[in-house]
């Protein structure tokens, strides 16, 4: 039996999933934690990958492996292949002013036309500008720039600093894929090329960038002979692991919320609401991100003194619209819409409406209405939504499932809980090994009956207009 492995090197942890090549059945898994923080020494990812692989029973019998990882993280290397400073992660906001500066210099319309995105603090290009301005001595040492999955794949192949790796610091051997390159802010999904003017405008000088490989290409093997897949950004990895195709919109409720869809054409939204990324299968992946997602439920469950399951039970005791109670869930500001200084608000409080069931329902409705705004935004880029794949830990809550069917005017499917980013890595590994993309089955745990209630979103929009 041939085995392939997928890796998800996420913000919080590294997961390794080992699957049967023919059936996709999960044979074994492993996990290791990453340190907290918005900047991390990449060596921590390398250590965690080794620990997660050992926790999964090792890789000695694995034929192929591919790494999907958190997008945007800035890994800067000197000419000896050494990491110059800890990597700034996607959620490090110190580059917000750098993002504003780049957008002002180039113009939002022009940036979107050239790269499919408008700079925000999460994108790699803004972190490079921050490095140039805040740490000019470090910026001057930069010989190559990589993303988390690029760097891990390079190390797996045996490259790295002299004395720490068998093949040494061959920076020209860095590779990446379309999906992760499209999250940098200096690569164009439309042309498939780096925009070196934008890159050098950010960093201040030229440097080596990873070679961008196609979906089925392999950058090489490990020293032990394991075939390596091209790798991917985390959202594109999840889309691949879910088998998402044209007509599918993935709504993910994790620490943050994301709405993304596979489509045939590239997107370019000058407002910056939709990031026009590429996917990991040769198509495109317009994406909207929200800052406030599952933690909205954490907060209200804490206020009510209940578990998540109990919060759902309370919510289902209320009617759609929660008797006019509306929670606008901007607890940590918001990315979509771009309101970084906003706070959460509860509207429509009366003696009749202010009940525990209504507050529980308003929390779930508010969370889902923010994601429904994201669905509208990707539709505005030409996405045709035929079904929603609802994933993430909160998607397993029965009330979230039922209320999603009331908020979204599109059929909702809830796939079985799973490590879909790592699953996408395993798909890539199999693809690189055999030359054919596998068609493994993705089981479903729920298909809530469509029950659209326009009042939920109409009263949410009304309150949003009052801010």
């Amino acid at each position: 039996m041939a085995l392939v492995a997928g890796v998800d090197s996420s913000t919080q942890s590294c997961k390794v999933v080992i699957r049967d090549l023919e059936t996709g059945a999960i044979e074994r898994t492993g996990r290791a934690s990453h340190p907290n923080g918005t900047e991390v020494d990449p060596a921590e990812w390398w250590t965690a990958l080794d620990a997660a692989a050992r926790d999964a029973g090792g890789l000695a019998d694995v034929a192929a492996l591919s790494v999907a990882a958190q997008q945007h993280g800035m890994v800067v290397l000197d000419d000896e292949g050494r990491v110059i400073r800890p990597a700034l992660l996607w959620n490090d906001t110190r580059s917000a002013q750098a993002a504003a500066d780049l957008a002002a210099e180039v113009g939002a319309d022009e940036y979107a036309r050239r790269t499919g995105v408008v700079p925000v603090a999460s994108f790699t290009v803004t972190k490079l500008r921050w490095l140039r301005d805040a740490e000019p001595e470090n910026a001057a040492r930069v010989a190559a720039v990589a993303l988390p999955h690029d760097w891990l794949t390079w190390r797996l192949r045996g490259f790295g600093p002299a004395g720490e790796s068998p093949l040494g610091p061959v920076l020209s051997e860095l590779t990446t894929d379309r999906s992760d390159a499209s999250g940098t802010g200096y690569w164009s999904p439309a042309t498939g090329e780096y925009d070196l003017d934008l890159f050098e405008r950010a960093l201040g000088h030229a440097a080596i960038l990873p070679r961008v490989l196609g979906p089925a290409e392999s950058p090489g093997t490990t020293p032990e002979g394991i075939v390596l897949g091209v790798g991917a950004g985390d959202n594109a990895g999840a889309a691949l692991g879910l088998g998402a195709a044209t007509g599918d919109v993935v709504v993910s409720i994790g620490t943050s919320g994301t709405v993304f869809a596979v489509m045939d054409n590239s997107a370019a939204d000058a407002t910056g609401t939709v990031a026009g990324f590429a996917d990991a299968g040769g198509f495109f992946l317009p994406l909207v991100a929200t800052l406030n997602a599952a933690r909205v439920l954490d907060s209200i469950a804490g206020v009510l003194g209940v578990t998540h399951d109990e919060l759902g039970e309370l919510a289902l005791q209320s009617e759609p619209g929660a008797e006019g109670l509306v929670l606008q869930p901007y607890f940590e500001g918001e990315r979509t819409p771009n309101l970084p200084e906003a706070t959460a608000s509860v509207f429509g409080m009366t003696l009749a409406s202010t009940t525990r069931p209504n507050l529980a329902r308003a929390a779930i409705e508010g969370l889902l209405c923010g994601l429904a705004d994201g669905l509208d935004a990707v539709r505005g880029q030409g996405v045709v939504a035929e079904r929603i794949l609802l994933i993430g830990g909160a998607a397993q809550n029965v009330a979230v499932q039922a209320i999603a069917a009331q908020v979204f005017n599109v059929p909702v499917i809830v796939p079985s809980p799973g490590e879909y980013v790592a699953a996408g890595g395993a798909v890539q590994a199999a693809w690189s090994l055999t030359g054919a993309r596998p068609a493994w089955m993705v089981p479903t745990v729920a298909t809530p009956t469509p029950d659209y209630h326009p009042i939920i979103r109409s009263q949410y929009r009304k309150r949003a207009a009052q801010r």
Side-chain angles (χ1 to χ4, degrees):
M1 177 176 65
L3 299 176
V4 294
V7 175
D8 173 13
S9 182
S10 73
T11 312
Q12 294 85 12
S13 63
C14 182
K15 284 83 70 178
V16 174
V17 175
I18 298 174
R19 306 183 73 166
D20 177 78
L21 173 63
E22 183 176 348
T23 67
I26 296 174
E27 297 298 324
R28 51 188 199 265
T29 65
R31 184 186 186 100
S33 296
H34 286 160
N36 294 324
T38 63
E39 64 173 32
V40 173
D41 184 344
E44 300 279 1
W45 303 332
W46 184 240
T47 299
L49 175 54
D50 177 68
R54 286 188 282 105
D55 189 47
L59 303 175
D61 55 351
V62 169
L65 175 149
S66 193
V67 179
Q70 56 179 301
Q71 289 185 268
H72 315 307
M74 180 191 72
V75 182
V76 285
L77 305 174
D78 64 17
D79 56 10
E80 295 181 347
R82 299 188 183 280
V83 174
I84 294 169
R85 70 165 332 278
L88 298 189
L89 306 188
W90 63 275
N91 55 352
D92 192 299
T93 59
R94 73 187 76 177
S95 59
Q97 185 58 51
D101 292 343
L102 288 169
E105 291 168 16
V106 178
D109 288 351
E110 180 69 1
Y111 230 110
R113 184 188 68 80
R114 289 166 66 172
T115 67
V117 300
V118 176
V120 293
S122 57
F123 297 153
T124 318
V125 69
T126 71
K127 301 178 189 306
L128 292 173
R129 169 58 72 88
W130 175 87
L131 186 70
R132 191 200 77 174
D133 294 343
E135 298 179 358
E137 293 183 359
N138 280 337
R141 294 174 56 204
V142 175
V145 179
L147 300 168
H149 108 253
D150 311 343
W151 185 81
L152 286 168
T153 301
W154 188 64
R155 293 302 310 270
L156 283 166
R157 291 173 62 201
F159 298 106
E164 296 180 18
S165 55
L167 300 181
V170 187
L171 298 177
S172 61
E173 288 294 334
L174 285 164
T175 60
T176 192
D177 85 306
R178 303 168 67 251
S179 71
D180 232 1
S182 68
T184 60
Y186 46 81
W187 185 86
S188 169
T191 67
E193 301 289 339
Y194 284 113
D195 192 319
L196 297 178
D197 171 68
L198 294 178
F199 175 80
E200 293 173 23
R201 177 184 291 273
L203 181 61
H205 62 85
I208 292 171
L209 293 172
R211 183 163 49 97
V212 182
L213 303 180
E217 290 187 79
S218 170
T221 67
T222 69
E224 296 77 22
I226 299 172
V227 173
L228 292 172
V230 61
D234 49 6
N235 291 302
L240 203 63
L242 285 163
T246 302
D248 291 336
V249 177
V250 180
V251 175
S252 176
I253 311 175
T255 303
S256 60
T258 52
V259 180
F260 51 93
V262 176
M263 66 182 295
D264 295 332
N265 303 310
S266 59
D269 180 8
T271 72
T273 300
V274 179
F277 296 151
D279 84 334
F283 298 98
F284 301 93
L285 199 79
L287 180 145
V288 171
T290 67
L291 293 180
N292 296 279
R295 284 181 292 185
V296 174
L297 307 186
D298 294 341
S299 178
I300 300 304
V303 168
L304 294 175
V306 297
T307 66
H308 274 237
D309 286 343
E310 292 167 341
L311 183 77
E313 292 170 3
L314 279 172
L316 292 178
Q317 294 172 22
S318 175
E319 296 298 319
E323 295 188 78
L325 203 67
V326 175
L327 172 65
Q328 196 169 69
Y330 301 160
F331 287 89
E332 297 184 298
E334 189 47 84
R335 165 73 183 84
T336 306
N338 189 20
L339 298 170
E341 304 301 323
T343 57
S345 301
V346 179
F347 299 92
M349 296 180 72
T350 68
L351 291 176
S353 69
T354 308
T355 66
R356 288 163 58 84
N358 283 344
L359 181 57
R361 175 176 269 275
I364 296 174
E365 288 183 348
L367 162 63
L368 291 169
C369 282
L371 294 168
D373 287 347
L375 174 61
D376 289 345
V378 297
R379 279 171 156 168
Q381 294 296 308
V383 168
V384 176
E386 297 176 357
R387 64 173 186 166
I388 287 173
L389 302 176
L390 191 66
I391 64 171
Q396 303 308 311
N397 186 297
V398 173
V400 171
Q401 296 169 3
I403 296 172
Q406 296 172 345
V407 170
F408 298 112
N409 59 344
V410 180
V412 174
I413 306 295
V414 184
S416 295
E419 299 290 353
Y420 285 108
V421 177
V427 168
Q428 286 185 315
W431 202 346
S432 294
L433 184 66
T434 66
R437 177 175 171 175
W440 297 328
M441 184 183 71
V442 178
T444 296
V445 294
T447 54
T449 302
D451 187 26
Y452 181 52
H453 285 260
I455 187 175
I456 299 173
R457 294 199 63 201
S458 66
Q459 65 184 21
Y460 184 86
R461 289 192 192 101
K462 176 183 176 181
R463 297 307 185 180
Q466 295 176 356
R467 290 198 67 91

